[in-house]
Amino acid sequence: GIQVEQSPPDLILQEGANSTLRCNFSDSVNNLQWFHQNPWGQLINLFYIPSGTKQNGRLSATTVATERYSLLYISSSQTTDSGVYFCAVEGEYGNKLVFGAGTILRVKS
Amino acid sequence: DTGVSQDPRHKITKRGQNVTFRCDPISEHNRLYWYRQTLGQGPEFLTYFQNEAQLEKSRLLSDRFSAERPKGSFSTLEIQRTEQGDSAMYLCASSLPGAGVTFTEAFFGQGTRLTVV
C-alpha cells in the first residue's frame, strides 16, 4: 500500500519563528489532507489539498502531486500551534486516508 | 451541524469485558470510517461504510472487532473480550463520496479513549 513519510519528526521553535513541515508519499494520490491534533486528541482539519497551494491565515500548504510531496508552512508561530501535525493521503484506489507518523511541534514563548 | 460526534469520550473497562462505541457522522455524509490510534502513532484505518454497506473491513484487527451501521446513519464499533492491547484512541470520521471510489474531505470526531485494565 501507499507509504507516507513526514519530516521532521520533532520540531522546537521559538514563538514568532517560521517552519516548514514536509510530507512525502510513495504513489499517486486522489486526496491529501493536513491535520493538527490538539492535546485532547481531536484531529482539526487544516487543509484539503490534493494539488496546488492554499493559504489560511498564518498557515499555507502546497502539494506537488507529480513529485509526490506536500509542504505545510507555519509563519509567526504561536504557542497555540503546538501539537502534532499529520499528513494523510488517499491512494489512487481510494477508500481511506493513510496517515504519516506525524510531526510533533513545540512552540516556546 | 455539530460535526462528527462520538460517545463515550472515555471508557475504562476490565480485561475480558465487551465494549461498544457510537459515532454520529455529519448528517449529509454517507461515508463513515473507523480508525484506531495508539500512543505516538498516526491513526490506523479499521473499516468504512458507504451508507449501510460495510465496504472494507479487512483491517479490523481480529474477529473480536465488529462494526455496524444499520440504517446508514450512526455507527457502532464493538470490541468483544477486550485485551490490554486494545487500549487506544478510537476515531470516527465521515465524508461525502467523490468521483468513483474516491471521497471528499474527511472530518473526524473527538475520539473515544479506551483503557483496558
Side-chain angles (χ1 to χ4, degrees):
Chain A
I2 195 165
Q3 304 295 314
V4 182
E5 292 186 359
Q6 291 187 243
S7 60
D10 284 277
L11 186 58
I12 300 174
L13 296 177
Q14 198 65 35
E15 198 170 25
N18 302 330
S19 64
T20 301
L21 281 56
R22 186 175 180 103
C23 172
N24 292 334
F25 41 95
S26 61
D27 210 339
S28 300
V29 298
N30 292 323
N31 179 1
L32 187 146
Q33 292 186 238
W34 283 98
F35 297 92
H36 176 210
Q37 190 163 42
N38 67 21
W40 298 272
Q42 173 134 31
L43 288 166
I44 307 299
N45 289 41
L46 296 178
F47 293 101
Y48 170 67
I49 187 167
S51 63
T53 297
K54 290 186 177 180
Q55 180 153 9
N56 184 3
R58 295 181 297 104
L59 274 59
S60 64
T62 295
T63 297
V64 184
T66 53
E67 296 187 21
R68 299 183 182 170
Y69 73 89
S70 183
L71 302 173
L72 177 68
Y73 306 95
I74 304 174
S75 65
S76 304
S77 57
Q78 301 175 358
T79 55
T80 52
D81 295 331
S82 297
V84 186
Y85 289 79
F86 287 105
C87 168
V89 304
E90 176 199 2
E92 195 171 21
Y93 299 101
N95 297 339
K96 57 186 174 285
L97 287 173
V98 176
F99 281 77
T103 292
I104 302 172
L105 175 64
R106 286 174 266 244
V107 181
K108 294 186 171 183
S109 58
Chain B
D1 180 14
T2 57
V4 180
S5 178
Q6 291 188 245
D7 184 70
R9 297 290 306 278
H10 302 274
K11 179 71 177 179
I12 300 174
T13 192
K14 291 184 178 180
R15 190 173 49 189
Q17 297 294 304
N18 299 343
V19 293
T20 300
F21 310 140
R22 177 180 170 123
C23 172
D24 288 87
I26 294 171
S27 57
E28 66 269 24
H29 287 186
N30 58 2
R31 285 219 182 175
L32 185 148
Y33 312 82
W34 285 100
Y35 285 78
R36 187 179 87 147
Q37 186 178 22
T38 53
L39 201 60
Q41 304 296 317
E44 174 190 21
F45 170 79
L46 294 178
T47 188
Y48 92 100
F49 295 84
Q50 179 148 321
N51 300 312
E52 66 275 10
Q54 190 173 16
L55 297 183
E56 183 173 341
K57 57 180 181 180
S58 59
R59 295 291 182 175
L60 283 173
L61 302 169
S62 77
D63 58 7
R64 297 184 296 105
F65 287 71
S66 63
E68 293 184 341
R69 194 182 184 196
K71 297 183 180 178
S73 56
F74 73 91
S75 176
T76 57
L77 178 69
E78 182 182 17
I79 309 174
Q80 296 182 328
R81 306 181 302 282
T82 52
E83 302 173 357
Q84 286 188 323
D86 297 332
S87 295
M89 174 79 90
Y90 291 85
L91 294 162
C92 176
S94 71
S95 74
L96 292 167
V101 298
T102 189
F103 58 92
T104 61
E105 187 174 7
F107 294 85
F108 283 77
Q110 316 97 310
T112 294
R113 190 174 298 279
L114 173 67
T115 303
V116 182
V117 297

